[in-house]
Amino acid sequence: MPTAVRPLISIVSPVYGAEAVVEELVRRIQASVGTLTEHYEVLLVDDRSPDSSWAHIQAEAGRDPRVQGLRLSRNFGQHRAITAGLDQARGEWVVVMDCDLQDRPEEIPALYALAQGGYDLVLAQRLDRQDAWSKKLLSRLFYRVLSYLTETPQDPSVANFGIYHRRVIDAVLTMRESVRYFPTMVRWVGFRTAYLGVAHAGRSSGRSSYGLSQRLQLGLDILLANSDKPLRLTVKLGLLLSGGAFLLVPITLLRYLGGQISQPGYTSLIISIWFFSGLLLSVLGMVGLYIGKTFEQVKGRPLYILDKATEPAATPPTP
C-alpha cells in the first residue's frame, strides 16, 4: 500500500470513460480532503475504460503516494468496481463518489463534519439534480417501484455519494451476491444514518455510459435481487383470475340453459386461450428470471478480477 499509516479517510471512485476529468478529480479531492487530514487515500478503480483513463490514473498515482489505481480485467459494471475499491480501502471513514464530478469533492468536509455528530453514515441528497428530465423521471419511477416492492422507502435524490464508517463498509462487504447495487445494500445493513443536502453539478465532459437499455437491465436486476414480491403478486393474480373464472362458470351455464347462448363461442374460446397462455408465459418468465439469478449466484464466480494496480509513487506528493 502507498503508506504504512492507516488513513483516516479513503475515497473510492469507479472510473469509466473519464480521461478528461481524472486529473481535476484528484486535484479537487486533494484540496478538499487535505483540509481535514494528511492521512487519506484515493482509490480510483478503472472499470476497463475504452479510453486512456488508466494512463491518467497511473500518472496521478506517480505524483502522489496517496493515490492508488486499480484496473479490472474487463468491464464488470460500476457497482462491482465500487466493491473492488471497498475491498482495498483501509480508512476509518470511506467516501464513495462518482468520477464525473457531478458529485462535488468540496462537499466531503461537510459530510465528514456531520458524521462526527454520532452517525455511522451520511448520505448526500442531491438538492437540484443536473440531469436530463427523462433521466430524473425514470429515476423517480424506478425508486417508487423499488419502494413498493421492497416495502422500504427509497429516496431518488440519494445515490452512491456519501461517507461511511468502517463498520458500515465491513458489513456491506460481507454481502457477496452477484447483483450489486451499493445504495440498497447500504440501506439494508442499517446503522445510524443522516442526510445532507448537497449541490449537484452538471457533467463537465462527455455523456453517461448508461444508455436506456443498460438502465432498464440494471433496474430489473435490482428489483429481482432485492424483492420476491413480483412472485407473490403473480400468485395473487392467479388466485384472482381463478376466482373470476369460478364466478363466470355458473353465469355462463345459466345463460346456456336459458337459451341465450345458441352456439358455443369461437371468439371467447380463442380470447381465453390467448389470455391464459400469455399469463402462463409471463408467470413462467418471472420464475425463470429468479431461477437464472439463483443460478448465477450459486456458480460462485468472483465479483471482479483485478488486472493490475499502480505502483506507489517514489517521490512525495507535489504541492
Side-chain angles (χ1 to χ4, degrees):
M1 299 298 293
T3 176
V5 178
R6 179 181 178 180
L8 173 66
I9 301 176
S10 298
I11 299 91
V12 173
S13 182
V15 176
Y16 187 84
E19 61 181 1
V21 298
V22 168
E23 183 176 353
E24 182 182 356
L25 172 67
V26 172
R27 296 291 174 266
R28 288 172 62 178
I29 289 175
Q30 290 171 329
S32 176
V33 182
T35 63
L36 301 173
T37 178
E38 294 182 357
H39 302 298
Y40 65 87
E41 62 180 356
V42 181
L43 297 163
L44 303 177
V45 185
D46 178 21
D47 194 20
R48 209 68 186 191
S49 299
D51 59 7
S52 60
S53 293
W54 177 243
H56 288 269
I57 292 174
Q58 287 179 304
E60 294 304 316
R63 281 191 280 265
D64 189 340
R66 294 171 296 196
V67 178
Q68 183 183 8
L70 305 171
R71 193 180 200 199
L72 305 186
S73 62
R74 66 170 178 83
N75 180 252
F76 283 90
Q78 180 188 35
H79 296 279
R80 293 196 183 200
I82 290 175
T83 301
L86 297 180
D87 282 339
Q88 300 297 321
R90 301 178 301 133
E92 179 184 355
W93 293 92
V94 179
V95 173
V96 176
M97 62 185 302
D98 293 342
C99 69
D100 55 13
L101 294 175
Q102 289 192 276
D103 295 337
R104 301 175 66 251
E106 292 76 16
E107 304 287 355
I108 295 176
L111 292 169
Y112 178 76
L114 182 54
Q116 300 314 296
Y119 297 101
D120 296 300
L121 62 156
V122 179
L123 302 174
Q125 288 181 308
R126 298 164 290 185
L127 296 177
D128 184 16
R129 289 186 60 178
Q130 302 299 308
D131 291 316
W133 67 269
S134 57
K135 182 177 179 180
K136 291 188 285 187
L137 178 62
L138 286 174
S139 178
R140 285 196 294 268
L141 178 61
F142 166 73
Y143 278 106
R144 183 166 296 181
V145 173
L146 184 61
S147 297
Y148 170 71
L149 293 180
T150 60
E151 299 178 352
T152 302
Q154 304 289 337
D155 187 349
S157 69
V158 175
N160 301 317
F161 193 25
I163 189 167
Y164 311 89
H165 191 268
R166 178 80 258 164
R167 62 178 180 158
V168 176
I169 297 302
D170 288 341
V172 169
L173 289 177
T174 63
M175 305 163 64
R176 307 305 285 189
E177 55 257 40
S178 58
V179 178
R180 318 286 300 175
Y181 189 59
F182 184 69
T184 57
M185 298 171 76
V186 166
R187 286 176 176 82
W188 187 89
V189 300
F191 296 104
R192 190 177 180 192
T193 306
Y195 296 85
L196 179 67
V198 301
H200 188 241
R203 293 185 67 89
S204 57
S205 66
R207 55 184 300 179
S208 174
S209 60
Y210 278 106
L212 179 60
S213 60
Q214 290 93 337
R215 293 182 188 280
L216 292 176
Q217 182 61 52
L218 176 62
L220 180 60
D221 287 344
I222 294 168
L223 294 176
L224 295 179
N226 289 279
S227 175
D228 65 350
K229 199 168 185 177
L231 288 175
R232 290 185 275 123
L233 289 175
T234 57
V235 172
K236 293 179 180 179
L237 177 61
L239 292 175
L240 179 63
L241 292 175
S242 297
F246 181 78
L247 292 175
L248 287 175
V249 167
I251 294 175
T252 304
L253 181 60
L254 289 174
R255 290 182 62 198
Y256 177 75
L257 295 176
Q260 298 180 23
I261 301 177
S262 59
Q263 182 178 358
Y266 172 81
T267 302
S268 61
L269 178 63
I270 294 300
I271 291 175
S272 299
I273 291 175
W274 276 88
F275 176 75
F276 286 105
S277 296
L279 177 62
L280 287 173
L281 288 175
S282 299
V283 173
L284 288 175
M286 180 68 69
V287 174
L289 287 173
Y290 277 98
I291 293 175
K293 295 302 176 186
T294 303
F295 173 67
E296 184 177 337
Q297 182 66 33
V298 299
K299 286 189 291 187
R301 293 182 179 179
L303 298 176
Y304 61 88
I305 299 174
L306 188 62
D307 180 18
K308 59 183 73 173
T310 56
E311 295 294 331
T315 58
T318 57

